[in-house]
Amino acid sequence: ALCVEASYLAEPGPTRRFLLIGAGLTLGLGLGNHLTLLAVAVPLIFWVVVRGEATPSSAWKFALGLVIGLSVYLYLPIRAASGPLVNWGDAASASGLYWVVSGQAYQDFVFGLPVASLLDKLISWLELVFEQLNPLGIFLAFGGVSALFKSDRWLLGATGISTVVLLVYSIAYNTFDSQVITIPAFFIISAYAGLGLYRIISSASVWLNERLSEENPNRINQWLPIGALIVIAFIAVPVVALILNYDSQDRSEDHRAADYVKHVLDNVPDGAVVLSDTENRVFSLWYHEFVEEDEKTIIPVSSRLLQFDWYWNSLVERHPAIFPPEQPEDVGAALVTIVESASESPGVYFTFFHPFLSDNFELTSDVAGINKAMPK
């Protein structure tokens, strides 16, 4: 939207006004989804300023759209105040809202990748580039970069900086799903590829017109097969990509979450406290308990979230008999408190293992992957 807005700054009247407001609105809504969009927006805004056509009038119109877009954040305190089952960050308070919006839960992962893992992460990133773009897409992207270098180096620099920042940030971000951060970068690279394709088609069109003007117009039919082959070749690229990747993206037969929930429910008694560590396990159990509302109930607890006061407070509010009002000083103390409070029937169960558990609890297991904990 910022690129479009800058291209039409000279347009008079309502067109320019709506483009400015639309650009700000798009950015505001995008920032409501993920703050990494700043890596794209800031260089592009700088590009607009460098063009020398940004004025105080255009700035306030852009700011108006931005404020309207950012208003999506007003939903957070409104929804948090209604007492949701998973009240992430408790955004009903000013401190909680800041905690959520600033992403404080993830700041320790930023540039937290161990040096020893850097090579493996870089290799996986290179594999991702070839999977997403394939050799033809990479070739077209280089063509687009070459074209942009000749026509608008400032725009190339702005988008290039965004791409590099996003890719470096993704590689250094120490989480298993850090590749999602590269999505805006791949949009930019795809735009380069589109520009490269446009340049090839334009050059081919000029060449073909020159050839036809030199020859008998009746021989135009001889060139039709070549044109058809070019069109078919470029249509085949997305079609082949769709065919090759469809099976890996099709989740219609993926029942791992449901199978995991069934495995847990079949091996713990009704009303048990079930502690999980990873997101796939926690979210599966949350979905069963809060959405499906089966006859058999459990108390799913995320062990990793026990470090946050807002999560402990939500557990206290729903299960005051198990979770005391005073939050333990760390996750280990919280686990000890939970086991001591709820070890009697129906009991406390861990769906993961850590040496801390065997050091502090008596663990028994009737099935792999589920351990009942009792105080030592």
Side-chain angles (χ1 to χ4, degrees):
L2 284 170
C3 292
V4 172
E5 175 268 324
S7 300
Y8 290 93
L9 273 174
E11 290 288 333
T15 300
R16 174 176 174 173
R17 185 186 313 119
F18 288 134
L19 284 170
L20 286 164
I21 296 175
L25 177 64
T26 303
L27 176 58
L29 291 173
L31 292 175
N33 178 265
H34 211 288
L35 293 178
T36 50
L37 186 58
L38 288 172
V40 178
V42 172
L44 283 179
I45 291 174
F46 178 75
W47 171 60
V48 173
V49 174
V50 167
R51 287 171 61 95
E53 297 177 342
T55 64
S57 176
S58 62
W60 80 257
K61 292 183 178 70
F62 177 80
L64 174 62
L66 179 64
V67 171
I68 295 174
L70 289 173
S71 65
V72 295
Y73 279 110
L74 295 177
Y75 181 72
L76 287 174
I78 295 173
R79 188 68 184 92
S82 65
L85 293 172
V86 181
N87 195 358
W88 189 268
D90 190 14
S93 64
S95 59
L97 179 62
Y98 176 77
W99 187 88
V100 174
V101 173
S102 61
Q104 290 191 29
Y106 312 102
Q107 291 180 3
D108 289 341
F109 301 125
V110 178
F111 295 104
L113 185 74
V115 176
S117 304
L118 183 59
L119 180 60
D120 291 338
K121 193 76 174 285
L122 184 60
I123 292 174
S124 67
W125 174 82
L126 291 174
E127 293 174 347
L128 178 68
V129 171
F130 280 93
E131 288 175 1
Q132 296 296 315
L133 299 174
N134 67 54
L136 178 58
I138 295 174
F139 169 76
L140 293 175
F142 277 114
V145 169
S146 175
L148 205 54
F149 181 80
K150 296 177 180 179
S151 61
D152 195 332
R153 296 184 182 181
W154 280 105
L155 177 58
L156 176 61
T159 53
I161 289 173
S162 297
T163 303
V164 171
V165 168
L166 287 166
L167 294 179
V168 170
Y169 184 64
S170 172
I171 292 173
Y173 196 63
N174 191 24
T175 64
F176 74 94
D177 59 348
S178 62
Q179 289 181 337
V180 299
I181 298 174
T182 63
I183 291 175
F186 279 112
F187 274 126
I188 295 173
I189 298 174
S190 297
Y192 291 159
L195 183 59
L197 175 59
Y198 175 77
R199 184 184 184 187
I200 291 174
I201 293 176
S202 298
S203 300
S205 176
V206 171
W207 177 83
L208 186 59
N209 285 331
E210 291 176 350
R211 294 284 295 179
L212 291 176
S213 63
E214 297 171 357
E215 301 176 2
N216 187 335
N218 294 329
R219 297 181 61 186
I220 189 172
N221 291 334
Q222 297 180 4
W223 297 100
L224 289 178
I226 297 177
L229 287 175
I230 293 174
V231 172
I232 292 173
F234 286 113
I235 292 177
V237 172
V239 172
V240 171
L242 177 64
I243 294 173
L244 293 178
N245 293 284
Y246 182 81
D247 288 340
S248 65
Q249 301 302 314
D250 180 17
R251 293 292 183 264
S252 60
E253 298 300 324
D254 187 348
H255 304 294
R256 286 176 294 174
D259 292 342
Y260 170 74
V261 171
K262 184 178 184 303
H263 173 70
V264 172
L265 294 179
D266 287 345
N267 292 281
V268 302
D270 188 43
V273 177
V274 180
L275 290 107
S276 301
D277 56 346
T278 58
E279 293 176 348
N280 55 347
R281 295 173 178 175
V282 173
F283 293 167
S284 298
L285 296 176
W286 276 355
Y287 186 86
H288 166 268
E289 188 63 21
F290 302 146
V291 180
E292 292 187 342
E293 297 181 345
D294 193 273
E295 292 182 0
K296 185 172 183 177
T297 63
I298 59 174
I299 302 175
V301 176
S302 169
S303 61
R304 295 188 180 186
L305 295 182
L306 291 173
Q307 61 183 302
F308 301 121
D309 55 353
W310 59 264
Y311 184 62
W312 184 265
N313 293 336
S314 67
L315 293 173
V316 172
E317 184 177 348
R318 291 203 308 274
H319 309 286
I322 299 176
F323 304 93
E326 183 178 354
Q327 182 185 9
E329 59 183 9
D330 54 34
V331 173
L335 295 178
V336 171
T337 299
I338 294 172
V339 172
E340 290 179 347
S341 301
S343 59
E344 301 297 330
S345 182
V348 178
Y349 294 80
F350 289 90
T351 63
F352 64 96
F353 178 79
H354 188 276
F356 175 86
L357 304 182
S358 58
D359 291 341
N360 290 272
F361 310 124
E362 295 287 350
L363 300 178
T364 58
S365 177
D366 296 327
V367 63
I370 300 178
N371 296 288
K372 182 176 182 179
M374 295 288 291
K376 281 193 173 181

